[in-house]
Amino acid sequence: MERLTGLDASFLYLETDTQLLHVCALLIVDPGADGVEFSFDDFKAELGRRLHLIPAMTRRLHAVPFNLDHPVWVRDSRFDLDYHVRRMGLPAPGGKRELAEVTGDIAGRPLDRSRPLWEMWVVEGLPEGKVAIISKYHHAIVDGITGTNMMMHLCDVQPGVTYNPPAETPAAESEPNDLALGIEALAKFPGKLGIFGMVPQTVGILSGLVQRRRNGDGTRGMPLPFTAPRTPFNRAITPHRSTAFVASELSDIKEIKTAFGVKVNDVVLAVVGGALRSYLELHDELPETSLIASVPVSTHESSRHDEGTNKVSTIFSRLYTDIADPVERVRAIAADNQGAKEEHNLIGADFLQDWAKYAPPNTFQLAARAYSSLKLAEHHPVVHNLVVSNVPGPNFPMYFLGVRVASMYPFGPVFHGAGLTATVISNNGNLDFGFIAAKELVPDIEKIADAVPEVITELLKAARETS
């Protein structure tokens, strides 16, 4: 039995019928690359032989009575692999659009909280004999880094690797005693008063940021939340999802990075900003001021907390969608991000985790439901326009449960008031872009993905002219 941390549990508390807080990944695997024939039964059997390496995939939630404390994880004594791994054929005509629609449909379905919080869909019938694997994990059990680590247990560096079943079957685990959990929660209640100690700490951090900007040397910092312009995707959301994806060459991104003396993440943000500028211009909805992205930052290396899955903070970043010139845009983003990182260091890697530790479950859940049902996201200034996440991936060929991975497209959650998320992952020389949105707000999301190659080509041309 293991208790969720406040930050892990917060993804449960903030979830509603429309704001689904799981993450998805679309893997396109190519059995033909190594001359093997794909077998769904063999695939599922190999997954079963590796589950003991990933405890999160066989444990479920157990609530504390009256939600007096965060829930605990317990091993699911009724675990059923057949429930979690499912099979389907790609609808005709079996192209990229149909695969995106299937991915969006799966992403728009909630996970069953009475079972381990994941699903895996095997989609056959892709062109050239390829197969799609659509994985779905709740954010309470993965973040960018832990999700990548989880994938490593399911991947190898050569094809056809078969694991042996575990030598011993795990001993049966008894159900937690609810009375004991309730008494423990009540005994810990005085510790919740530590939230009042966070107030002066937060005030001190904010004062430090204000002082830094007053005494600044002209270095730009993070844009403030609630200062983003409103766009068509900054409204209340439904559970329906649209997705799109596109691959690019990582070498092109690195060439642009080197030419302009910036970082890969700066180029990624500039590409997303350029694609959104193109999309919003197409719809005559481009704001006069820049869109603001929330950019998750991993704190696994810097956090003082050992427990829990999610170790993440965030930086707000201008995408400079108001700048037409792509070179000027990438340089402005790079200048901003330097100052933003300095301010993030002042705030501290554990700021979100420290606050989330005191999250009262019932209050959070009631507030999330009220915010959702009343569509409050449409009645206050926009906090941020979208989430843009850049996750490092493998720089060598990978074989997922024995089959070569051709492409890997990640999709994060979307939120009320920020109904679009772009997630990017490097994969064996590629940089794969995954876009997901509230379907009613961005029904033609493929137009954003279609603009990505055009923006990269424009930046690459400028980079070569510079050198």
Side-chain angles (χ1 to χ4, degrees), residues 90-166:
L90 187 65
K96 186 175 181 180
R97 185 180 184 88
E98 287 72 34
L99 183 56
E101 289 176 352
V102 167
T103 305
D105 180 61
I106 291 172
R109 302 179 187 180
L111 288 162
D112 182 351
R113 290 198 184 183
S114 70
R115 297 176 180 269
L117 296 177
W118 67 276
E119 293 174 358
M120 194 175 289
W121 295 71
V122 177
V123 184
E124 298 173 272
L126 275 68
E128 303 174 346
K130 293 180 180 178
V131 177
I133 316 295
I134 303 172
S135 301
K136 182 164 66 173
Y137 299 91
H138 201 282
H139 219 316
I141 66 171
V142 296
D143 64 2
I145 297 298
T146 53
T148 301
N149 292 341
M150 187 181 292
M151 284 288 296
M152 292 303 100
H153 286 299
L154 302 178
C155 290
D156 305 289
V157 295
Q158 57 187 3
V161 174
T162 301
Y163 277 44
N164 293 319

Side-chain angles (χ1 to χ4, degrees), residues 8 21 55 121 159 201 220 237 242 252 270 342 438 466:
D8 292 346
L21 295 184
W121 295 71
Q201 178 183 336
R220 290 179 292 207
I237 61 175
S242 56
D252 290 345
E342 293 173 5
T466 299

Side-chain angles (χ1 to χ4, degrees), residues 315-354:
I315 286 178
F316 291 104
S317 178
R318 298 178 189 87
L319 297 183
Y320 285 102
T321 48
D322 54 329
I323 295 178
D325 182 79
V327 176
E328 187 180 346
R329 184 186 312 123
V330 73
R331 285 178 168 153
I333 288 172
D336 260 21
N337 283 346
Q338 182 59 43
K341 288 172 184 174
E342 293 173 5
E343 292 188 341
H344 179 262
N345 291 336
L346 285 174
I347 294 170
D350 292 322
F351 184 74
L352 282 180
Q353 286 174 276
D354 289 343

